[in-house]
Amino acid sequence: MPTVHDIETGGRPPALEAHNLTVSYGTTKAVDDVSLVVPANKVVALIGPSGCGKSTLLRCFNRMNDLIPGAQVSGEVDFHGQNLYAPDVDPVEVRRRIGMVFQKPNPFPKSIYDNIAFGPRINGFQGDLDGLVETSLKQAALWQEVSDRLGSSAYDLSGGQQQRLCIARTLAVTPEIVLMDEPASALDPIATQRIEDLIFELKQDYTIVIVTHNMQQAARVSDYTAFLYMGHLVEYGPTDMMFTNPTEERTEAYVTGRFG
Amino acid sequence: MSTDPGRDRRRKWAGAAFWALCWAATMVGIVALMILLVDIIMDGASQLRPEFFTSFASRFPERAGILAPLMGTLWILGLTALIAFPVSVGAAIYLEEYAPQNWLTRVIQVNIANLAGVPSIVYGILGLAVFVRWMGLERSVISGALTLSILILPVIILASQEAIRAVPLSLRQAAYGLGATRWQVTRHQVLPMALPGILTGTILALSRAVGETAPLIMIGALTFIAFTPQGLMDEFTVLPIQIYNWVSRPQDEFRQIAAAAILVLLTLLLTMNAAAIILRNRFSRMRVR
């Protein structure tokens, strides 16, 4: 059984609650019976060695696993009291309300403006699109760098700028939760720093779940940390406790770098 | 390291021989094409007068022209494109983006690949049975276009699938992650990126259709007509059939106008292939960015 420490939700309902989540590809279980609570307006980091199921678990939270042939999900993810895996739930609507930022920056081969505007447009946004693009870029701390060249190709941006563009693009559809799958793993230290600063600011308005293989990053940006190992949740608790005084021996071994 | 100088010499000699063999093999193709071109140009270039394009076929070689087969070919080309393109692209999108991964899909996929290799005369027989006889479309332009559409469907489907598959998964995921439906992902991300590849495949398939003779003879395209098609149900002929007809006549003059018609057909084909190459180059430039 995993060790789960007190998760302080501040008296508010949690943003997400996973109950007995299991994901299998064929006969292998990538995520095995994981239950955890994601408090609102906090940053939760999922850590663990490669292949521990942290990315698979993350993709459960906005039903991105639906797109992977052969992935079978059982268990529940509750979002506003609604199980995301109930038969009447539309995964398209889930993904609009729970956004995702990917490992490698993946801007569309379009202009900076059109990258941001794509989400609102397909979701039938009626209103001040220019204003929304500006707000989103400002939220992602990219506006100053691109405000004079919104029409140029997103591919002309640096990797770090592209990733912030992808974050802005996600924010433009006003999700409640932002899932980040190793968002800085393809970036240099300075670009990484900017993403981390951004995460810190974004939790004012959003709940963030971030997968990272960089333990220092987890320690820096997150409020809570979940350690996964071979598909199992080993320990979940406040980040400072997880890194300074974990209960489980395996957690300690991993966060101190003895394996992984 | 080898210490035997004789063995080293043999190795180098073998390498040089192989190079020469490959070079000769390449030259066979190029030289053959050159001889063909020069021969045709010498025979036919003098016949390319303006009247050649505005006259119908005639039993007097000096009055014969390619108006009817040229118009027939253009009709067939346009109609085939209109029919084959949407059907093929639709099938490719279904197979790549929508079809479940099961045995039925795999059977369909294998069948399409096999159909691409079926001899064209077989499609002619199919066209005769289905379009000409069963659907009662007679020996018309539309029968010909439908037959050639079926002929090139598998080719365009395979090329389109290839192009659709080349669209990076990360782009699809990005769009899905923003709450796009499958149709929106396909319409706004996948198709725009795959379009140059799809068009290239379509043009190459169409240029194959333009050169086809057998299936059209099978469905009863005429060899001698003195009118151009005015509608879908009109009878028609096409350039390759006209060329065949002229070449098989005894008079030398007819062989010359056949060469001229071949030049017209070749120009049409080379133009289409050049368009395909230009599209493909533009596509790969976009990729690099």
Side-chain angles (χ1 to χ4, degrees):
Chain A
M1 279 301 286
T3 305
V4 177
H5 303 278
D6 279 349
I7 305 298
E8 185 57 58
T9 57
R12 301 170 54 191
L16 275 178
E17 265 180 280
H19 298 292
N20 309 103
L21 259 184
T22 297
V23 186
S24 39
Y25 302 114
T27 52
T28 50
K29 283 181 179 172
V31 171
D32 196 351
D33 198 25
V34 169
S35 302
L36 57 76
V37 169
V38 177
N41 291 82
K42 299 288 180 196
V43 178
V44 172
L46 308 179
I47 63 168
S50 296
C52 70
K54 53 193 190 297
S55 287
T56 303
L57 177 61
L58 189 75
R59 284 197 300 267
C60 287
F61 295 154
N62 69 342
R63 293 195 59 172
M64 283 301 266
N65 281 334
D66 290 25
L67 304 173
I68 297 172
Q72 290 281 341
V73 181
S74 70
E76 280 189 18
V77 178
D78 288 339
F79 175 66
H80 292 291
Q82 164 78 59
N83 176 17
L84 296 183
Y85 285 87
D88 58 333
V89 169
D90 178 8
V92 170
E93 177 64 14
V94 171
R95 294 182 204 121
R96 200 194 65 67
R97 298 181 65 181
I98 305 177
M100 191 161 208
V101 176
F102 298 85
Q103 189 165 354
K104 275 167 82 181
N106 54 356
F108 300 125
K110 299 169 188 269
S111 70
I112 294 170
Y113 185 96
D114 285 337
N115 261 275
I116 309 287
F118 176 74
R121 277 183 186 141
I122 57 166
N123 286 298
F125 178 79
Q126 302 283 332
D128 178 14
L129 196 56
D130 291 356
L132 182 63
V133 169
E134 182 175 339
T135 317
S136 306
L137 284 168
K138 278 179 175 163
Q139 276 187 299
L142 189 61
W143 174 251
Q144 289 201 329
E145 292 156 65
V146 301
S147 60
D148 57 340
R149 51 173 173 146
L150 294 176
S152 61
S153 168
Y155 285 17
D156 294 340
L157 299 174
S158 72
Q161 289 174 324
Q162 287 188 8
Q163 193 62 303
R164 275 179 282 141
L165 180 70
C166 292
I167 293 173
R169 179 176 68 184
T170 304
L171 301 182
V173 294
T174 57
E176 290 163 50
I177 303 173
V178 179
L179 308 174
M180 297 186 172
D181 191 355
E182 306 199 22
S185 65
L187 306 180
D188 63 69
I190 293 169
T192 301
Q193 175 68 45
R194 302 205 59 166
I195 301 280
E196 289 181 8
D197 292 346
L198 184 56
I199 291 170
F200 194 80
E201 279 171 29
L202 288 177
K203 73 173 172 177
Q204 311 291 326
D205 302 311
Y206 304 91
T207 303
I208 294 169
V209 184
I210 178 172
V211 162
T212 177
H213 60 209
N214 178 335
M215 280 172 287
Q216 287 75 32
Q217 184 171 69
R220 282 191 301 262
V221 302
S222 68
D223 302 298
Y224 295 95
T225 297
F227 172 56
L228 285 101
Y229 185 65
M230 294 177 73
H232 296 276
L233 180 65
V234 175
E235 188 166 356
Y236 180 39
T239 296
D240 44 2
M241 178 200 276
M242 291 286 285
F243 280 87
T244 56
N245 189 21
T247 305
E248 294 280 331
E249 203 178 309
R250 276 179 299 176
T251 311
E252 191 183 0
Y254 183 73
V255 299
T256 54
R258 268 189 275 143
F259 81 102
Chain B
M1 284 299 286
S2 164
T3 50
D4 175 5
R7 191 165 160 242
D8 263 12
R9 252 199 318 279
R10 277 199 300 281
R11 279 201 323 173
K12 284 196 181 115
W13 187 87
F18 186 66
W19 176 86
L21 219 68
C22 293
W23 185 83
T26 311
M27 282 304 123
V28 169
I30 293 179
V31 168
L33 185 66
M34 284 300 148
I35 293 173
L36 189 74
L37 270 179
V38 169
D39 186 51
I40 290 169
I41 290 172
M42 279 169 53
D43 273 357
S46 60
Q47 302 293 326
L48 288 173
R49 296 157 284 122
E51 307 90 76
F52 184 65
F53 294 93
T54 55
S55 313
F56 289 108
S58 163
R59 59 199 170 88
F60 305 108
E62 64 278 7
R63 278 195 231 153
I66 55 163
L67 182 58
L70 183 60
M71 292 312 286
T73 288
L74 292 178
W75 267 85
I76 290 283
L77 180 63
L79 282 174
T80 305
L82 281 179
I83 299 164
F85 181 75
V87 176
S88 313
V89 175
I93 291 173
Y94 174 76
L95 286 171
E96 284 303 311
E97 301 288 323
Y98 289 87
Q101 293 295 316
N102 57 22
W103 64 270
L104 183 63
T105 309
R106 279 196 292 277
V107 168
I108 293 172
Q109 190 67 63
V110 168
N111 263 298
I112 290 172
N114 284 337
L115 282 176
V118 170
S120 60
I121 187 80
V122 177
Y123 286 98
I125 298 169
L126 177 90
L128 179 67
V130 175
F131 303 126
V132 178
R133 300 264 166 77
W134 184 66
M135 290 173 70
L137 295 175
E138 307 296 335
R139 297 142 50 145
S140 60
V141 183
I142 189 71
S143 288
L146 284 168
T147 306
L148 289 183
S149 295
I150 302 284
L151 171 74
I152 62 173
L153 264 180
V155 183
I156 308 182
I157 292 174
L158 290 176
S160 303
Q161 281 187 280
E162 202 75 40
I164 290 170
R165 221 174 292 143
V167 176
L169 186 65
S170 64
L171 281 188
R172 291 189 176 84
Q173 287 187 333
Y176 279 122
L178 293 168
T181 60
R182 199 177 284 262
W183 159 240
Q184 286 171 326
V185 174
T186 306
R187 161 75 184 77
H188 295 286
Q189 302 300 336
V190 176
L191 279 187
M193 263 206 112
L195 198 60
I198 292 174
L199 288 179
T200 305
T202 306
I203 294 172
L204 291 179
L206 281 173
S207 71
R208 179 184 166 192
V210 165
E212 280 295 345
T213 322
L216 294 181
I217 292 180
M218 198 72 212
I219 65 152
L222 301 174
T223 52
F224 186 98
I225 51 174
F227 54 86
T228 58
Q230 302 299 316
L232 296 180
M233 295 304 290
D234 284 350
E235 296 183 318
F236 71 103
T237 189
V238 291
L239 281 170
I241 294 179
Q242 184 67 67
I243 291 166
Y244 177 72
N245 175 269
W246 278 335
V247 168
S248 55
R249 294 197 189 188
Q251 299 97 317
D252 226 21
E253 294 87 341
F254 274 113
R255 227 156 286 150
Q256 285 178 15
I257 58 170
I262 289 170
L263 277 178
V264 174
L265 183 59
L266 271 180
T267 310
L268 184 64
L269 292 179
L270 289 178
T271 310
M272 291 172 70
N273 288 6
I277 290 170
I278 290 168
L279 266 174
R280 196 167 53 212
N281 286 352
R282 177 172 295 177
F283 184 42
S284 48
R285 257 208 310 282
M286 268 169 43
R287 269 292 163 75
V288 174
R289 279 172 57 81

